[in-house]
Each structure stands twice: as C-alpha cells, then as structure tokens.
Amino acid sequence: MTPTSQVKRMKKNDLFSLKITDMGVDGEGIGKYDGMTFFVKDALIGDEIRARATKLKKHYGYARVEKIITPSPYRVEPQCPLHRRCGGCQIQALSYEQQLAFKENKVRSNLQRIGGFSKEELEQVCLPIVGMEHPFRYRNKAQFPVGLDKEGKLVTGFYAARTHAIIPVEDCLLGVEENKDVLMAVKEWMLLKQIPAYDETTGTGLVRHILIRYGFTTEEVMVCLIINGDRLPEKETLIERLSVLPGMTSISYNVNTERTNVILGKHTECIWGMPYITDYIHLRNTGDFSVEDTAIAYHISPQSFYQVNPVQTEKLYSTALEYAKLTGKESVWDLYCGIGTISLFLSQKAKQVYGVEIVPQAIEDAKTNAALNGITNAEFFLGKAEEVLPQFYNSDDLDAGMRHPDVIVVDPPRKGCDEQCLSTMLAMRPERIVYVSCDSATLARDLRILVDGGYELQKVRAFDQFAHTGHVETVVLLSKGIIDSQKVKVEMSLEDMDMSGFQ
Ligand code: SAH
C-alpha cells in the first residue's frame, strides 16, 4: 500500500500523530503526515501532537490540536490569556528568540526555494534579523469592534480568529496602555446615553468600531468612532469624557453605513481638536545603521496609512536609506511610496525623488508631508508603478535622472512587483535597487528576475515589525555589477548624446 492510498482513506475527524516542523505566514504549525502537508492552528515548531483532521484536500489538509504529546522546547507561557481565542497574536506561545530565528530562516529558505539562490551565496549576503527590544506594546494603531456579547452586555474587543464574534479585550498587550482609558470612556458614554452598538447581522445600531492612534514621539492621541449613521448624537458628553484624557489631540467620527467588513467609510468629521495627530520618524546612526541623524514629521488622519510599529520602522528605514548610499547628487524613484514615508527621507539626501502610489489620498498626504517638512525636491505621481514607470521611461522630453535614476526603491504590497515594473526597472539600469518587502515569497520571485537581469544581490536583512505574528519584513540591496556598469555607462552616454545634428 502506498502512503497516498493510506491517506486517501483518512477522513475528517480522524486522529493521527504529527510532528510540527515548520510554520506558515499566519503562524500556523505545519507538519507532514504520509506525504500530506497539514496546517494546524496553535501548534508550534517542535511540538509533537495528536491531531484531528478538520478538512482534507488532495495534497494537504487542516487539523487541530487534540493533545500536545511532547511540547516544543521553544514554548513559553503566553503573556496574554486570550492569545488562543483572539486572531491577533498567532505565535505568542513561541519564545521571542525562536520567533526571530523562524523569521530569519523563512526569508532564507524562500530565497533558496523560490528564488533559486544557493546556500553559499546567501551566506555571503544575509545579515542577522533585526528584532525588537520590547516585543509588546509596539503598535501605534488599534481598531476595536463594538458589539453585544451573548448576555447582551456592551463589549469592545477583537474578533476571534476567522470569525466575527467579539472577544472582550480591555487591554491588548500589543497596543499602548492609553487604549484602555479610551475604551472605558467610550463605553461609559454609550451606556449613559444609551447609544446602541452596531449589530452586524441586522445592520442596525450605531457604533461599529473605535479607532485609536497614538504618536509614539509626540504622545498625541486620536480617537475616531466609526458609526452606522451620518450624525453622532450626544457628542458633547463624549467630548467631555475623552478630551480630559492625557495627550488627547483629535476626536472625530467616520460614517460607514455599508454592510461591509471594510472598517472605515469615506467621510470623517472632526468634532474636537485637530483632524490629525503629528508624529515623527527619527532615523539615528546607531552603529548598526550608518545614517545621519534626521527626523521627518507626519500628519496622520484616521484614514492615513502609517507604519504601525514606529520603533522598528525607524530601523527598517535607516537600513533602506543606508543601502541607497546617497550623496546628494542622485535621482531616485520610490515606487509604492504610500504617504511618502521613505521618499521624504531619501529626498533629504538626494537631488530629486519621484514617488509613485496607487491610492489618491496617500498621494495627497505625501504632498502635505513634504510641505510640512519644507521638502521641495520630492514629486509624487498617482498611478500604478507598472504603468507610471514605463510612461516616464518611454517619454523623450525628460531629464536623464528620471529615465536613468541612480537608485530605485520599491516597497510593494504582499503580491510583490508587477513584471512590467521589474522589466522597466532593469531597462532603467539604476546603480542600486533597494527592495523593501513584506512577503519573502514574492520577494524571492522578484529578486530572481532582477538578478537574471544583471543585478547582484549585496545585502539581505530581515526585520521583525510584527512580534507574535508570522509576518516578516525584509530589506534587500542589489547593485549593478562592476563590469556591467561600465558597459552600460557607454551605452547610456551614446543614448543620451544629442545626435540630431548628424541626421
Ligand atoms: N513605502 C510606504 C508604503 C508601502 S505599502 C511606507 O513605507 O509607508 C505598499 C503601498 O503600495 C501601499 O500604499 C499601496 O497602496 C501601494 N500600491 C499597491 N499596488 C500598487 C501599484 N500597483 N502601484 C503603485 N502603488 C501600489
């Protein structure tokens, strides 16, 4: 009997022994049983478990932990009692050291398996992962759903993993301590004024979510109530309660009357204070990152995209900036630039920066942030990187810096860069490419294309932006090979020469 024929007979609810040898992006344990790969929530690398099959596909399946037979040596007592029920922290039971080792290894193995890079060449370029000194209370943003529990009691909290049932959470250990007082104040106001919580199943009720943002450097607090209606009743009482909290800077409500999972609606109304909070990202030369000290201020509104882990972001951006090796003379493209967070740092050290981003509001924020910091050498373009970049590359009447930049920085979403974008980058032949990635699988795929196109992998460094989850960020430096760069210089100077007089 072949192993597969044995497995074919496995049915839902069958029990079997499983050794967990890997971990998926969502922190689920992965183990192999008779040639089939099983994904098991709450199982950790190193665990030996009795598993119960919950779903079977042809070559893989899902199972749950029936019993831990031999616990992984890397298990620790999770600090949050809700970690198994809540969908937020998938790997809190794994020691932080092992979380880092796992993430570092994940990047390397994807580069090997998907990117086809050899172990030896990765040995030369991979630097140790940059972890967090304090892997709790690192998030500057929290969105708490509001609802009623089974007894009809008003609760705020988080959604349970893969469901929309609200687990009451008074204090999340990933968020700042300030969140707790805000939640209390809003709940008290709702009870006092009989403001109903939103009910997802019927689409009735008013308060859907409480969004809280906190400026780590300024200690400014923003609260935004997302409501199912276009008017906030009893707002004076709400303001009375919230405005006395330390750091309170901005109170607003956002209208979302759609039956949707998307949290924020389009319209936001500020009812007290400023419509935004201000925060700074401060890059420092720490020895690990050799950048000049510099800070950029950002205005953050309820809708703005902003990195949620400011402490790690400073390390990540410092590295990206260090890899860009700017002297003040360079032209730089920053693709997938969001609100211009990286672009504005680049612009302080470069001659000119061009940012591209697909979300109109983010482009508006990028322009505002540039003005706020007195930056005049950063231009922002709205559109898809894979369309905007070729348009500029193919246009004749541009300065050479736009068509042949010295550096290109990319920070794409999880799906990575579009092929058209990568081929245009190769055609532009920048001296250096800095790739910031939030998915090492698509990173590996894209790096293979860039390396096959003539670039050399110089440095790879993973960062932990999201402790207790399976996510890992990576910054990669690629450079144009020495011989190749000479060849291209000749080609470029021919291309850029004005030959019109000879025709
Ligand atoms: N570099 C920024 C944001 C990176 S997140 C920062 O560090 O803050 C990735 C960004 O890519 C998002 O803002 C998203 O809106 C944008 N995006 C997604 N697809 C895109 C595309 N095809 N072209 C340009 N931008 C895109």
Side-chain angles (χ1 to χ4, degrees), residues 305-307 313 316-317 334-342 356-359 362 383-386 411-413 415 418:
F305 170 87
Y306 189 66
Q307 294 279 356
T313 295
L316 186 91
Y317 288 178
D334 180 21
L335 309 178
Y336 312 89
C337 69
I339 59 163
T341 11
I342 301 178
V356 183
E357 163 61 45
I358 199 171
V359 175
K384 292 183 180 169
E386 60 273 24
D411 183 7
K415 68 173 196 247
D418 186 273

Side-chain angles (χ1 to χ4, degrees), residues 105-239:
N105 193 36
K106 172 130 231 140
V107 173
R108 281 195 197 212
S109 70
N110 277 339
L111 291 181
Q112 264 179 262
R113 201 168 44 84
I114 302 168
F117 296 100
S118 72
K119 210 171 167 192
E120 294 67 38
E121 72 191 298
L122 292 176
E123 228 27 74
Q124 303 288 321
V125 294
C126 287
L127 292 151
I129 185 167
V130 180
M132 300 167 54
E133 280 100 58
H134 309 288
F136 286 96
R137 302 222 177 270
Y138 61 80
R139 287 184 63 98
N140 59 11
K141 175 183 169 186
Q143 301 177 115
F144 297 90
V146 183
L148 299 181
D149 68 7
K150 280 192 208 106
E151 284 81 47
K153 198 173 144 238
L154 177 66
V155 286
T156 57
F158 288 118
Y159 291 126
R162 299 189 195 102
T163 77
H164 265 211
I166 299 174
I167 299 173
V169 177
E170 300 293 325
D171 183 27
C172 165
L173 296 177
L174 297 196
V176 292
E177 280 170 4
E178 283 73 3
N179 291 341
K180 198 174 165 185
D181 292 340
V182 172
L183 294 183
M184 289 284 285
V186 175
K187 268 200 287 190
E188 277 171 16
W189 165 76
M190 287 177 72
L191 291 171
L192 185 75
K193 296 293 175 185
Q194 299 190 335
I195 310 286
Y198 179 66
D199 181 341
E200 271 193 330
T201 48
T202 59
T204 57
L206 190 72
V207 183
R208 301 171 71 127
H209 273 86
I210 303 167
L211 163 69
I212 309 170
R213 300 185 97 149
Y214 179 75
F216 268 57
T217 57
T218 55
E219 297 180 5
E220 291 183 359
V221 178
M222 160 185 285
V223 179
C224 179
L225 260 52
I226 293 97
I227 60 169
N228 175 39
D230 52 14
R231 205 183 61 84
L232 188 68
E234 306 288 352
K235 61 180 181 224
E236 294 313 322
T237 321
L238 178 71
I239 292 170

